[in-house]
Amino acid sequence: MVSITINGRELKTEKDITLLQLAKSEGIGIPTLCSHKALIPYGACRLCVVEVSKGQKTKIVNSCAYPLREDGISVQTNTPRLKKIRKNILEFLLARCPEVEIIKKMAGAVGVKEKRLPKKKVSNGQKEECILCGLCVRVCNEVIGKEAISFVHRGADREVAAPFYSQSKDCVGCTACAFVCPTGAIKVKESGNKRNIIPWNTEITLVTCEMCGISFAPENSGEYLKTKLNLPAEWLKLCPQCRRKVAAETMGKYDFASRKVFLKR
Ligand code: FES
């Protein structure tokens, strides 16, 4: 166990959890944009900065990537210095993505209203919505086990893209990238049995349920999961609702003729 204080509150916690995890579990608010509990900390947005003091020394660290290992540290989460850092970061983010709701809201909360910095120039009149937090790249790699997208270029041209800006063979169409994106930058459109992941120029074919005829899961991610999780061959034939109905009927709980569910006690 490790003993520390956060904003004057004495706390005991297990070793090696991060400062951000402890603060969250204690209801202490620290703003974040690039942290996700399923992913390894990356420290991209730097909004989660806190002051950590031991003895006479104080340093500023990213709380999402600071594992607690030593006793006796004292943490402050909202000093004037930290507020200024967050305000500066949000000013940059707002200049980059002025239309993104969550950025506008977070910037407003720290008092950034006017845009002092010039807007980022974007091509084709498209609005910039990506803050380069890397959550999409990391979820694809760390959770799905694929490398369908990655960072490309440097400096002001840095962005996330599929290899050569065309459909990646690695993409299983799961849309985990869109799910974790904090700004909604990854748009997905579905029409009939096709799913388009717009920023990756990717089109995926969906499997059609043999019973009800709706398109419900990407063909290649279904195949990938079937192999990875050792699922039965018929797993991809029915959509989740029809699978549940069939399972219920098999157990005598669902009557297809009357469409009634009979609960057994
Ligand atoms: S949440 Fe810690 S750096 Fe982004």
Side-chain angles (χ1 to χ4, degrees), residues 162-197:
F164 306 104
Y165 295 93
S166 57
Q167 182 141 352
S168 165
K169 285 200 184 82
D170 244 16
C171 182
V172 290
C174 63
T175 65
C177 51
F179 180 77
V180 293
C181 176
T183 60
I186 302 166
K187 306 279 187 281
V188 179
K189 282 194 183 152
E190 277 183 19
S191 167
N193 70 338
K194 296 289 177 204
R195 171 178 289 173
N196 285 283
I197 308 174

PDB file of all heavy atoms in Angstrom, residues 162-197:
ATOM      1  N   ALA A 162      -5.104   5.703 -42.643  1.00  0.00           N
ATOM      2  CA  ALA A 162      -4.836   4.318 -43.042  1.00  0.00           C
ATOM      3  C   ALA A 162      -3.609   4.344 -43.956  1.00  0.00           C
ATOM      4  O   ALA A 162      -3.311   5.385 -44.541  1.00  0.00           O
ATOM      5  CB  ALA A 162      -6.047   3.757 -43.781  1.00  0.00           C
ATOM      6  N   PRO A 163      -2.881   3.223 -44.081  1.00  0.00           N
ATOM      7  CA  PRO A 163      -1.689   3.233 -44.927  1.00  0.00           C
ATOM      8  C   PRO A 163      -2.006   3.700 -46.349  1.00  0.00           C
ATOM      9  O   PRO A 163      -2.970   3.224 -46.951  1.00  0.00           O
ATOM     10  CB  PRO A 163      -1.240   1.762 -44.939  1.00  0.00           C
ATOM     11  CG  PRO A 163      -1.915   1.136 -43.776  1.00  0.00           C
ATOM     12  CD  PRO A 163      -3.154   1.911 -43.496  1.00  0.00           C
ATOM     13  N   PHE A 164      -1.219   4.667 -46.847  1.00  0.00           N
ATOM     14  CA  PHE A 164      -1.377   5.227 -48.206  1.00  0.00           C
ATOM     15  C   PHE A 164      -2.784   5.816 -48.431  1.00  0.00           C
ATOM     16  O   PHE A 164      -3.271   5.903 -49.547  1.00  0.00           O
ATOM     17  CB  PHE A 164      -1.053   4.184 -49.282  1.00  0.00           C
ATOM     18  CG  PHE A 164       0.302   3.563 -49.093  1.00  0.00           C
ATOM     19  CD1 PHE A 164       0.428   2.283 -48.584  1.00  0.00           C
ATOM     20  CD2 PHE A 164       1.451   4.287 -49.376  1.00  0.00           C
ATOM     21  CE1 PHE A 164       1.684   1.718 -48.372  1.00  0.00           C
ATOM     22  CE2 PHE A 164       2.696   3.729 -49.162  1.00  0.00           C
ATOM     23  CZ  PHE A 164       2.822   2.449 -48.673  1.00  0.00           C
ATOM     24  N   TYR A 165      -3.453   6.162 -47.343  1.00  0.00           N
ATOM     25  CA  TYR A 165      -4.782   6.788 -47.409  1.00  0.00           C
ATOM     26  C   TYR A 165      -5.804   5.919 -48.154  1.00  0.00           C
ATOM     27  O   TYR A 165      -6.748   6.416 -48.750  1.00  0.00           O
ATOM     28  CB  TYR A 165      -4.713   8.176 -48.077  1.00  0.00           C
ATOM     29  CG  TYR A 165      -3.909   9.165 -47.268  1.00  0.00           C
ATOM     30  CD1 TYR A 165      -2.547   9.355 -47.499  1.00  0.00           C
ATOM     31  CD2 TYR A 165      -4.511   9.889 -46.239  1.00  0.00           C
ATOM     32  CE1 TYR A 165      -1.801  10.239 -46.736  1.00  0.00           C
ATOM     33  CE2 TYR A 165      -3.772  10.783 -45.475  1.00  0.00           C
ATOM     34  CZ  TYR A 165      -2.425  10.948 -45.732  1.00  0.00           C
ATOM     35  OH  TYR A 165      -1.701  11.820 -44.966  1.00  0.00           O
ATOM     36  N   SER A 166      -5.588   4.627 -48.147  1.00  0.00           N
ATOM     37  CA  SER A 166      -6.581   3.767 -48.805  1.00  0.00           C
ATOM     38  C   SER A 166      -6.943   2.617 -47.864  1.00  0.00           C
ATOM     39  O   SER A 166      -6.306   2.436 -46.822  1.00  0.00           O
ATOM     40  CB  SER A 166      -6.044   3.234 -50.126  1.00  0.00           C
ATOM     41  OG  SER A 166      -4.853   2.542 -49.894  1.00  0.00           O
ATOM     42  N   GLN A 167      -7.929   1.858 -48.255  1.00  0.00           N
ATOM     43  CA  GLN A 167      -8.459   0.799 -47.381  1.00  0.00           C
ATOM     44  C   GLN A 167      -7.355  -0.125 -46.871  1.00  0.00           C
ATOM     45  O   GLN A 167      -6.600  -0.703 -47.657  1.00  0.00           O
ATOM     46  CB  GLN A 167      -9.499  -0.014 -48.162  1.00  0.00           C
ATOM     47  CG  GLN A 167     -10.137  -1.092 -47.325  1.00  0.00           C
ATOM     48  CD  GLN A 167     -11.624  -1.227 -47.614  1.00  0.00           C
ATOM     49  OE1 GLN A 167     -12.221  -0.432 -48.331  1.00  0.00           O
ATOM     50  NE2 GLN A 167     -12.234  -2.222 -47.040  1.00  0.00           N
ATOM     51  N   SER A 168      -7.304  -0.247 -45.540  1.00  0.00           N
ATOM     52  CA  SER A 168      -6.267  -1.087 -44.942  1.00  0.00           C
ATOM     53  C   SER A 168      -6.745  -2.536 -44.877  1.00  0.00           C
ATOM     54  O   SER A 168      -7.878  -2.796 -44.470  1.00  0.00           O
ATOM     55  CB  SER A 168      -5.981  -0.580 -43.529  1.00  0.00           C
ATOM     56  OG  SER A 168      -5.253  -1.534 -42.817  1.00  0.00           O
ATOM     57  N   LYS A 169      -5.851  -3.447 -45.241  1.00  0.00           N
ATOM     58  CA  LYS A 169      -6.216  -4.874 -45.162  1.00  0.00           C
ATOM     59  C   LYS A 169      -6.447  -5.276 -43.714  1.00  0.00           C
ATOM     60  O   LYS A 169      -7.133  -6.243 -43.422  1.00  0.00           O
ATOM     61  CB  LYS A 169      -5.084  -5.720 -45.748  1.00  0.00           C
ATOM     62  CG  LYS A 169      -5.008  -5.690 -47.246  1.00  0.00           C
ATOM     63  CD  LYS A 169      -4.220  -6.907 -47.750  1.00  0.00           C
ATOM     64  CE  LYS A 169      -4.038  -6.847 -49.244  1.00  0.00           C
ATOM     65  NZ  LYS A 169      -2.916  -5.983 -49.655  1.00  0.00           N
ATOM     66  N   ASP A 170      -5.836  -4.529 -42.789  1.00  0.00           N
ATOM     67  CA  ASP A 170      -5.939  -4.864 -41.369  1.00  0.00           C
ATOM     68  C   ASP A 170      -7.275  -4.440 -40.753  1.00  0.00           C
ATOM     69  O   ASP A 170      -7.621  -4.887 -39.662  1.00  0.00           O
ATOM     70  CB  ASP A 170      -4.799  -4.174 -40.607  1.00  0.00           C
ATOM     71  CG  ASP A 170      -3.860  -5.180 -39.981  1.00  0.00           C
ATOM     72  OD1 ASP A 170      -3.911  -6.348 -40.377  1.00  0.00           O
ATOM     73  OD2 ASP A 170      -3.087  -4.791 -39.074  1.00  0.00           O
ATOM     74  N   CYS A 171      -8.023  -3.548 -41.424  1.00  0.00           N
ATOM     75  CA  CYS A 171      -9.258  -3.026 -40.822  1.00  0.00           C
ATOM     76  C   CYS A 171     -10.350  -4.091 -40.827  1.00  0.00           C
ATOM     77  O   CYS A 171     -10.684  -4.636 -41.873  1.00  0.00           O
ATOM     78  CB  CYS A 171      -9.744  -1.790 -41.563  1.00  0.00           C
ATOM     79  SG  CYS A 171     -11.216  -1.079 -40.812  1.00  0.00           S
ATOM     80  N   VAL A 172     -10.883  -4.374 -39.622  1.00  0.00           N
ATOM     81  CA  VAL A 172     -11.953  -5.372 -39.549  1.00  0.00           C
ATOM     82  C   VAL A 172     -13.324  -4.696 -39.450  1.00  0.00           C
ATOM     83  O   VAL A 172     -14.338  -5.361 -39.258  1.00  0.00           O
ATOM     84  CB  VAL A 172     -11.735  -6.354 -38.361  1.00  0.00           C
ATOM     85  CG1 VAL A 172     -10.565  -7.260 -38.618  1.00  0.00           C
ATOM     86  CG2 VAL A 172     -11.609  -5.617 -37.042  1.00  0.00           C
ATOM     87  N   GLY A 173     -13.338  -3.372 -39.553  1.00  0.00           N
ATOM     88  CA  GLY A 173     -14.613  -2.650 -39.587  1.00  0.00           C
ATOM     89  C   GLY A 173     -15.345  -2.626 -38.258  1.00  0.00           C
ATOM     90  O   GLY A 173     -16.550  -2.384 -38.212  1.00  0.00           O
ATOM     91  N   CYS A 174     -14.616  -2.822 -37.168  1.00  0.00           N
ATOM     92  CA  CYS A 174     -15.279  -2.931 -35.852  1.00  0.00           C
ATOM     93  C   CYS A 174     -15.758  -1.579 -35.336  1.00  0.00           C
ATOM     94  O   CYS A 174     -16.605  -1.505 -34.468  1.00  0.00           O
ATOM     95  CB  CYS A 174     -14.330  -3.561 -34.846  1.00  0.00           C
ATOM     96  SG  CYS A 174     -12.861  -2.557 -34.543  1.00  0.00           S
ATOM     97  N   THR A 175     -15.177  -0.483 -35.828  1.00  0.00           N
ATOM     98  CA  THR A 175     -15.455   0.898 -35.406  1.00  0.00           C
ATOM     99  C   THR A 175     -15.117   1.193 -33.948  1.00  0.00           C
ATOM    100  O   THR A 175     -15.659   2.114 -33.354  1.00  0.00           O
ATOM    101  CB  THR A 175     -16.922   1.329 -35.703  1.00  0.00           C
ATOM    102  OG1 THR A 175     -17.821   0.548 -34.926  1.00  0.00           O
ATOM    103  CG2 THR A 175     -17.261   1.222 -37.164  1.00  0.00           C
ATOM    104  N   ALA A 176     -14.196   0.412 -33.393  1.00  0.00           N
ATOM    105  CA  ALA A 176     -13.719   0.727 -32.028  1.00  0.00           C
ATOM    106  C   ALA A 176     -13.064   2.106 -32.031  1.00  0.00           C
ATOM    107  O   ALA A 176     -13.151   2.850 -31.048  1.00  0.00           O
ATOM    108  CB  ALA A 176     -12.718  -0.330 -31.567  1.00  0.00           C
ATOM    109  N   CYS A 177     -12.432   2.459 -33.159  1.00  0.00           N
ATOM    110  CA  CYS A 177     -11.779   3.773 -33.273  1.00  0.00           C
ATOM    111  C   CYS A 177     -12.802   4.900 -33.095  1.00  0.00           C
ATOM    112  O   CYS A 177     -12.558   5.873 -32.384  1.00  0.00           O
ATOM    113  CB  CYS A 177     -11.051   3.893 -34.602  1.00  0.00           C
ATOM    114  SG  CYS A 177     -12.070   3.477 -36.034  1.00  0.00           S
ATOM    115  N   ALA A 178     -13.957   4.743 -33.754  1.00  0.00           N
ATOM    116  CA  ALA A 178     -14.996   5.773 -33.649  1.00  0.00           C
ATOM    117  C   ALA A 178     -15.572   5.801 -32.233  1.00  0.00           C
ATOM    118  O   ALA A 178     -15.914   6.853 -31.701  1.00  0.00           O
ATOM    119  CB  ALA A 178     -16.098   5.501 -34.655  1.00  0.00           C
ATOM    120  N   PHE A 179     -15.662   4.614 -31.612  1.00  0.00           N
ATOM    121  CA  PHE A 179     -16.241   4.509 -30.267  1.00  0.00           C
ATOM    122  C   PHE A 179     -15.415   5.278 -29.233  1.00  0.00           C
ATOM    123  O   PHE A 179     -15.953   5.945 -28.369  1.00  0.00           O
ATOM    124  CB  PHE A 179     -16.348   3.025 -29.886  1.00  0.00           C
ATOM    125  CG  PHE A 179     -16.922   2.795 -28.531  1.00  0.00           C
ATOM    126  CD1 PHE A 179     -18.286   2.921 -28.312  1.00  0.00           C
ATOM    127  CD2 PHE A 179     -16.105   2.473 -27.453  1.00  0.00           C
ATOM    128  CE1 PHE A 179     -18.828   2.723 -27.053  1.00  0.00           C
ATOM    129  CE2 PHE A 179     -16.629   2.278 -26.186  1.00  0.00           C
ATOM    130  CZ  PHE A 179     -17.994   2.400 -25.990  1.00  0.00           C
ATOM    131  N   VAL A 180     -14.082   5.193 -29.338  1.00  0.00           N
ATOM    132  CA  VAL A 180     -13.253   5.847 -28.304  1.00  0.00           C
ATOM    133  C   VAL A 180     -12.914   7.302 -28.633  1.00  0.00           C
ATOM    134  O   VAL A 180     -12.445   8.025 -27.751  1.00  0.00           O
ATOM    135  CB  VAL A 180     -11.927   5.085 -28.038  1.00  0.00           C
ATOM    136  CG1 VAL A 180     -12.173   3.750 -27.400  1.00  0.00           C
ATOM    137  CG2 VAL A 180     -11.096   4.946 -29.300  1.00  0.00           C
ATOM    138  N   CYS A 181     -13.160   7.714 -29.871  1.00  0.00           N
ATOM    139  CA  CYS A 181     -12.778   9.079 -30.269  1.00  0.00           C
ATOM    140  C   CYS A 181     -13.528  10.108 -29.415  1.00  0.00           C
ATOM    141  O   CYS A 181     -14.757  10.118 -29.386  1.00  0.00           O
ATOM    142  CB  CYS A 181     -13.103   9.310 -31.747  1.00  0.00           C
ATOM    143  SG  CYS A 181     -12.770  10.998 -32.274  1.00  0.00           S
ATOM    144  N   PRO A 182     -12.806  10.992 -28.697  1.00  0.00           N
ATOM    145  CA  PRO A 182     -13.519  11.917 -27.797  1.00  0.00           C
ATOM    146  C   PRO A 182     -14.208  13.069 -28.508  1.00  0.00           C
ATOM    147  O   PRO A 182     -15.051  13.748 -27.925  1.00  0.00           O
ATOM    148  CB  PRO A 182     -12.396  12.440 -26.882  1.00  0.00           C
ATOM    149  CG  PRO A 182     -11.152  12.313 -27.687  1.00  0.00           C
ATOM    150  CD  PRO A 182     -11.347  11.149 -28.608  1.00  0.00           C
ATOM    151  N   THR A 183     -13.844  13.314 -29.769  1.00  0.00           N
ATOM    152  CA  THR A 183     -14.390  14.495 -30.446  1.00  0.00           C
ATOM    153  C   THR A 183     -15.390  14.169 -31.550  1.00  0.00           C
ATOM    154  O   THR A 183     -15.919  15.079 -32.189  1.00  0.00           O
ATOM    155  CB  THR A 183     -13.237  15.306 -31.083  1.00  0.00           C
ATOM    156  OG1 THR A 183     -12.574  14.456 -32.039  1.00  0.00           O
ATOM    157  CG2 THR A 183     -12.245  15.791 -30.054  1.00  0.00           C
ATOM    158  N   GLY A 184     -15.610  12.886 -31.806  1.00  0.00           N
ATOM    159  CA  GLY A 184     -16.539  12.504 -32.876  1.00  0.00           C
ATOM    160  C   GLY A 184     -15.956  12.728 -34.257  1.00  0.00           C
ATOM    161  O   GLY A 184     -16.684  12.923 -35.238  1.00  0.00           O
ATOM    162  N   ALA A 185     -14.627  12.713 -34.357  1.00  0.00           N
ATOM    163  CA  ALA A 185     -13.982  12.999 -35.647  1.00  0.00           C
ATOM    164  C   ALA A 185     -14.111  11.841 -36.628  1.00  0.00           C
ATOM    165  O   ALA A 185     -13.964  12.040 -37.826  1.00  0.00           O
ATOM    166  CB  ALA A 185     -12.502  13.309 -35.421  1.00  0.00           C
ATOM    167  N   ILE A 186     -14.366  10.634 -36.114  1.00  0.00           N
ATOM    168  CA  ILE A 186     -14.395   9.467 -37.004  1.00  0.00           C
ATOM    169  C   ILE A 186     -15.844   9.147 -37.356  1.00  0.00           C
ATOM    170  O   ILE A 186     -16.604   8.625 -36.539  1.00  0.00           O
ATOM    171  CB  ILE A 186     -13.688   8.269 -36.334  1.00  0.00           C
ATOM    172  CG1 ILE A 186     -12.249   8.680 -35.991  1.00  0.00           C
ATOM    173  CG2 ILE A 186     -13.709   7.042 -37.237  1.00  0.00           C
ATOM    174  CD1 ILE A 186     -11.539   7.756 -35.052  1.00  0.00           C
ATOM    175  N   LYS A 187     -16.214   9.507 -38.567  1.00  0.00           N
ATOM    176  CA  LYS A 187     -17.609   9.335 -38.990  1.00  0.00           C
ATOM    177  C   LYS A 187     -17.788   7.974 -39.663  1.00  0.00           C
ATOM    178  O   LYS A 187     -16.949   7.560 -40.472  1.00  0.00           O
ATOM    179  CB  LYS A 187     -18.005  10.425 -39.993  1.00  0.00           C
ATOM    180  CG  LYS A 187     -17.740  11.845 -39.497  1.00  0.00           C
ATOM    181  CD  LYS A 187     -18.833  12.319 -38.568  1.00  0.00           C
ATOM    182  CE  LYS A 187     -18.700  13.769 -38.176  1.00  0.00           C
ATOM    183  NZ  LYS A 187     -17.740  14.094 -37.134  1.00  0.00           N
ATOM    184  N   VAL A 188     -18.888   7.314 -39.309  1.00  0.00           N
ATOM    185  CA  VAL A 188     -19.192   6.006 -39.896  1.00  0.00           C
ATOM    186  C   VAL A 188     -20.581   6.088 -40.515  1.00  0.00           C
ATOM    187  O   VAL A 188     -21.517   6.576 -39.886  1.00  0.00           O
ATOM    188  CB  VAL A 188     -19.175   4.913 -38.797  1.00  0.00           C
ATOM    189  CG1 VAL A 188     -19.515   3.553 -39.390  1.00  0.00           C
ATOM    190  CG2 VAL A 188     -17.816   4.855 -38.113  1.00  0.00           C
ATOM    191  N   LYS A 189     -20.694   5.635 -41.768  1.00  0.00           N
ATOM    192  CA  LYS A 189     -22.016   5.654 -42.414  1.00  0.00           C
ATOM    193  C   LYS A 189     -22.378   4.242 -42.808  1.00  0.00           C
ATOM    194  O   LYS A 189     -21.529   3.499 -43.310  1.00  0.00           O
ATOM    195  CB  LYS A 189     -21.985   6.541 -43.650  1.00  0.00           C
ATOM    196  CG  LYS A 189     -22.055   8.000 -43.299  1.00  0.00           C
ATOM    197  CD  LYS A 189     -22.352   8.846 -44.506  1.00  0.00           C
ATOM    198  CE  LYS A 189     -22.339  10.313 -44.072  1.00  0.00           C
ATOM    199  NZ  LYS A 189     -21.964  11.194 -45.140  1.00  0.00           N
ATOM    200  N   GLU A 190     -23.639   3.889 -42.611  1.00  0.00           N
ATOM    201  CA  GLU A 190     -24.092   2.552 -43.010  1.00  0.00           C
ATOM    202  C   GLU A 190     -25.249   2.669 -43.977  1.00  0.00           C
ATOM    203  O   GLU A 190     -26.168   3.463 -43.769  1.00  0.00           O
ATOM    204  CB  GLU A 190     -24.514   1.740 -41.777  1.00  0.00           C
ATOM    205  CG  GLU A 190     -23.310   1.121 -41.116  1.00  0.00           C
ATOM    206  CD  GLU A 190     -23.638   0.235 -39.938  1.00  0.00           C
ATOM    207  OE1 GLU A 190     -24.792  -0.214 -39.813  1.00  0.00           O
ATOM    208  OE2 GLU A 190     -22.723  -0.001 -39.134  1.00  0.00           O
ATOM    209  N   SER A 191     -25.199   1.887 -45.023  1.00  0.00           N
ATOM    210  CA  SER A 191     -26.294   1.876 -45.978  1.00  0.00           C
ATOM    211  C   SER A 191     -26.390   0.462 -46.543  1.00  0.00           C
ATOM    212  O   SER A 191     -25.414  -0.075 -47.079  1.00  0.00           O
ATOM    213  CB  SER A 191     -25.972   2.905 -47.065  1.00  0.00           C
ATOM    214  OG  SER A 191     -26.821   2.722 -48.140  1.00  0.00           O
ATOM    215  N   GLY A 192     -27.566  -0.147 -46.387  1.00  0.00           N
ATOM    216  CA  GLY A 192     -27.743  -1.545 -46.812  1.00  0.00           C
ATOM    217  C   GLY A 192     -26.747  -2.433 -46.095  1.00  0.00           C
ATOM    218  O   GLY A 192     -26.630  -2.381 -44.876  1.00  0.00           O
ATOM    219  N   ASN A 193     -26.000  -3.207 -46.866  1.00  0.00           N
ATOM    220  CA  ASN A 193     -25.028  -4.082 -46.203  1.00  0.00           C
ATOM    221  C   ASN A 193     -23.598  -3.522 -46.317  1.00  0.00           C
ATOM    222  O   ASN A 193     -22.633  -4.266 -46.281  1.00  0.00           O
ATOM    223  CB  ASN A 193     -25.103  -5.509 -46.778  1.00  0.00           C
ATOM    224  CG  ASN A 193     -24.568  -5.569 -48.192  1.00  0.00           C
ATOM    225  OD1 ASN A 193     -24.529  -4.544 -48.860  1.00  0.00           O
ATOM    226  ND2 ASN A 193     -24.147  -6.734 -48.612  1.00  0.00           N
ATOM    227  N   LYS A 194     -23.488  -2.196 -46.421  1.00  0.00           N
ATOM    228  CA  LYS A 194     -22.158  -1.578 -46.501  1.00  0.00           C
ATOM    229  C   LYS A 194     -21.938  -0.628 -45.329  1.00  0.00           C
ATOM    230  O   LYS A 194     -22.847   0.106 -44.929  1.00  0.00           O
ATOM    231  CB  LYS A 194     -22.008  -0.780 -47.807  1.00  0.00           C
ATOM    232  CG  LYS A 194     -22.084  -1.637 -49.050  1.00  0.00           C
ATOM    233  CD  LYS A 194     -20.860  -2.509 -49.226  1.00  0.00           C
ATOM    234  CE  LYS A 194     -20.990  -3.423 -50.432  1.00  0.00           C
ATOM    235  NZ  LYS A 194     -20.174  -4.608 -50.351  1.00  0.00           N
ATOM    236  N   ARG A 195     -20.757  -0.655 -44.782  1.00  0.00           N
ATOM    237  CA  ARG A 195     -20.363   0.277 -43.726  1.00  0.00           C
ATOM    238  C   ARG A 195     -19.151   1.049 -44.219  1.00  0.00           C
ATOM    239  O   ARG A 195     -18.167   0.443 -44.630  1.00  0.00           O
ATOM    240  CB  ARG A 195     -20.003  -0.494 -42.454  1.00  0.00           C
ATOM    241  CG  ARG A 195     -19.381   0.367 -41.371  1.00  0.00           C
ATOM    242  CD  ARG A 195     -19.080  -0.429 -40.129  1.00  0.00           C
ATOM    243  NE  ARG A 195     -20.304  -0.803 -39.431  1.00  0.00           N
ATOM    244  CZ  ARG A 195     -20.329  -1.627 -38.383  1.00  0.00           C
ATOM    245  NH1 ARG A 195     -19.215  -2.161 -37.932  1.00  0.00           N
ATOM    246  NH2 ARG A 195     -21.460  -1.908 -37.788  1.00  0.00           N
ATOM    247  N   ASN A 196     -19.252   2.381 -44.195  1.00  0.00           N
ATOM    248  CA  ASN A 196     -18.120   3.219 -44.617  1.00  0.00           C
ATOM    249  C   ASN A 196     -17.529   3.937 -43.417  1.00  0.00           C
ATOM    250  O   ASN A 196     -18.237   4.638 -42.704  1.00  0.00           O
ATOM    251  CB  ASN A 196     -18.590   4.252 -45.634  1.00  0.00           C
ATOM    252  CG  ASN A 196     -18.817   3.602 -46.974  1.00  0.00           C
ATOM    253  OD1 ASN A 196     -17.875   3.309 -47.697  1.00  0.00           O
ATOM    254  ND2 ASN A 196     -20.069   3.339 -47.275  1.00  0.00           N
ATOM    255  N   ILE A 197     -16.223   3.752 -43.222  1.00  0.00           N
ATOM    256  CA  ILE A 197     -15.519   4.512 -42.178  1.00  0.00           C
ATOM    257  C   ILE A 197     -14.812   5.634 -42.932  1.00  0.00           C
ATOM    258  O   ILE A 197     -13.805   5.427 -43.606  1.00  0.00           O
ATOM    259  CB  ILE A 197     -14.552   3.614 -41.385  1.00  0.00           C
ATOM    260  CG1 ILE A 197     -15.311   2.372 -40.880  1.00  0.00           C
ATOM    261  CG2 ILE A 197     -13.955   4.383 -40.211  1.00  0.00           C
ATOM    262  CD1 ILE A 197     -14.449   1.340 -40.203  1.00  0.00           C
TER     263      ILE A 197
END
